[in-house]
Amino acid sequence: MNKRQEARAMAIEALETMPPASQLRSPLDYIFADHFRQRVLCRVLDDIADAEACDTELLTAALDFLKTDFAPHVIDEEEDLFPLLRRRAEPEDRIGEVLDDLSQEHAADKLDADRIIEGLQQARERGEGPLSEAFQALLHRFAANERRHLIVENAIVMPLARARLTKDDLSTLGRRMAARRGLDYPKTDDVG
């Protein structure tokens, strides 16, 4: 297997493998792991956009991730993480504007993700031929926007959440994230 094939296989595995349920006891680590998977998605979408032929397996991995994992992650942040952070942040943290901007980006990302899902489904059904230039541009734009969004979340939001959220906040966040995914919240002895 050459390096390109190895990278492709690793990307597919990353998109198909959710973080371990035990990590929900450390929900910020779970979110960070999801951020890694989203960065992989960005690379995969760029590769799909640049490909001369349809890679059905890669396309399906991206499509499945967008359909099953992307929306719950955004909801984790919008309904739980951001409100908790707004409650716990100190005035000098000045996080409100950052969270407002991220929420606006989430709304735009949802619209783009819906268009991408539709386009990837159509491409998979066709099975051959290049993507339209407009769809390629959408894939590249979405990937670039997500990368920038993840930089802000990882550099500003996540460190502040680690500093400000209480143990009870984190437990509530982890429980809600588990419920959203249809998982049982792990017991202490389930964490390994």
Side-chain angles (χ1 to χ4, degrees), residues 144-160:
N145 289 347
E146 276 301 298
R147 284 184 183 102
R148 192 197 71 70
H149 183 98
L150 291 168
I151 288 168
V152 172
E153 287 185 347
N154 289 338
I156 298 170
V157 175
M158 298 300 285
L160 188 60

Side-chain angles (χ1 to χ4, degrees), residues 14-160:
L15 290 178
E16 292 177 343
T17 306
M18 290 177 57
S22 63
Q23 205 168 40
L24 289 164
R25 289 196 64 82
S26 301
L28 298 177
D29 292 340
Y30 191 100
I31 290 170
F32 189 76
D34 257 355
H35 285 175
F36 170 76
R37 295 173 69 220
Q38 288 174 358
R39 289 203 41 102
V40 171
L41 174 70
C42 293
R43 173 61 190 262
V44 166
L45 293 178
D46 281 336
D47 288 349
I48 290 169
D50 294 338
E52 293 181 21
C54 179
D55 181 336
T56 305
E57 189 177 10
L58 197 60
L59 192 145
T60 297
L63 182 58
D64 290 347
F65 181 86
L66 284 168
K67 287 170 67 174
T68 61
D69 295 337
F70 188 74
H73 176 84
V74 171
I75 294 168
D76 292 339
E77 293 177 347
E78 288 295 324
E79 292 185 7
D80 296 311
L81 178 61
F82 292 1
L84 283 169
L85 199 47
R86 285 181 195 280
R87 255 193 324 270
R88 299 291 181 214
E90 298 293 331
E92 65 268 16
D93 294 335
R94 301 175 50 143
I95 194 67
E97 188 175 323
V98 171
L99 297 178
D100 290 344
D101 289 347
L102 291 171
S103 291
Q104 288 177 0
E105 291 172 13
H106 281 154
D109 292 344
K110 163 99 173 73
L111 296 174
D112 282 346
D114 289 344
R115 291 178 53 212
I116 290 170
I117 288 168
E118 183 180 326
L120 292 177
Q121 287 173 326
Q122 291 171 358
R124 185 172 61 181
E125 289 167 11
R126 271 195 328 272
E128 290 186 24
L131 303 172
S132 72
E133 287 183 23
F135 190 62
Q136 290 172 331
L138 172 62
L139 294 176
H140 284 305
R141 186 185 81 233
F142 181 84
N145 289 347
E146 276 301 298
R147 284 184 183 102
R148 192 197 71 70
H149 183 98
L150 291 168
I151 288 168
V152 172
E153 287 185 347
N154 289 338
I156 298 170
V157 175
M158 298 300 285
L160 188 60

